[in-house]
Amino acid sequence: ITIKGFSKKTQSSYVRCVRDYLSNQSNNELNKKSIKDFLFHLIDTKQLANSTIRIYYSAIKFLFAYTLGKKWELENIPQVKQIRKLPVYFTFSEVEAIIRHADFIKHKAMLMTIYASGLRVSECSNLKVTDIFRDNMKLKISQAKGFKDRYTILSDTCLEYLTKYW
């Protein structure tokens, strides 16, 4: 998993899922039927969320394809559908109130940056002064999710908060 370049969180999830799968195998047969039975158990008995079952599916697939070196010929095992829900979001006045009630300028600057530039918390905490490009009003986000670099917008108001904090 490490060689494949998966994040530490994905690695621990896969190990946990595979351990769970293997501990449910009484006859030690790792085959199509045991996988289907296990996934059905997760859906029917444990009633896990579709997103969790998809992680189990991917972890078991990784076990077979990469760890055991077996051909993944289990295409007849369907993967549960991914449910896409619209996110719950704050109104502008709610966001404004949250930022206004932050006690320290550091927290206000972080909240404003996360909101205005659409950052994850980890991306905000890893920002450096050299990542701020005032000329073209952009932020450089280094090694974000999936180890990808990207640029995002920087608003005038956000720049003011960052300047006050600096």
Side-chain angles (χ1 to χ4, degrees), residues 22-104:
L22 294 174
S23 69
N24 277 284
Q25 303 311 309
S26 57
N27 58 3
N28 289 335
E29 276 195 47
L30 306 180
N31 55 32
K32 188 186 235 178
K33 184 182 179 341
S34 72
I35 295 170
K36 278 185 173 181
D37 290 345
F38 179 69
L39 292 174
F40 183 75
H41 166 73
L42 296 178
I43 295 166
D44 192 52
T45 306
K46 286 192 162 186
Q47 297 182 344
L48 298 179
N50 285 8
S51 56
T52 305
I53 294 167
R54 289 176 66 84
I55 295 169
Y56 272 96
Y57 182 95
S58 297
I60 295 167
K61 182 177 180 179
F62 190 92
L63 170 71
F64 275 80
Y66 291 97
T67 308
L68 300 176
K70 293 184 175 185
K71 187 176 178 218
W72 183 253
E73 51 192 41
L74 305 174
E75 282 78 23
N76 292 337
I77 297 178
Q79 186 156 172
V80 292
K81 202 171 197 179
Q82 188 171 8
I83 297 171
R84 299 207 184 258
K85 296 179 183 177
L86 290 175
V88 176
Y89 61 91
F90 294 114
T91 65
F92 181 76
S93 58
E94 290 172 327
V95 172
E96 199 175 42
I98 290 169
I99 294 170
R100 189 175 54 250
H101 286 91
D103 291 331
F104 304 104

Side-chain angles (χ1 to χ4, degrees), residues 129 131-138 154 159-160 162-164 166:
V129 175
D131 295 333
I132 301 171
F133 296 96
R134 293 171 178 262
D135 297 341
N136 54 1
M137 297 301 285
K138 292 192 180 206
L154 175 64
L159 183 58
E160 286 176 31
L162 290 170
T163 304
K164 283 180 189 175
W166 180 250

Side-chain angles (χ1 to χ4, degrees), residues 88-142:
V88 176
Y89 61 91
F90 294 114
T91 65
F92 181 76
S93 58
E94 290 172 327
V95 172
E96 199 175 42
I98 290 169
I99 294 170
R100 189 175 54 250
H101 286 91
D103 291 331
F104 304 104
I105 189 66
K106 175 183 180 179
H107 298 150
K108 288 181 185 207
M110 290 173 70
L111 290 167
M112 176 58 75
T113 305
I114 289 169
Y115 173 73
S117 299
L119 302 185
R120 295 173 178 89
V121 174
S122 61
E123 293 170 344
C124 183
S125 65
N126 291 328
L127 274 180
K128 300 178 190 79
V129 175
T130 55
D131 295 333
I132 301 171
F133 296 96
R134 293 171 178 262
D135 297 341
N136 54 1
M137 297 301 285
K138 292 192 180 206
L139 290 176
K140 179 182 178 192
I141 312 302
S142 300

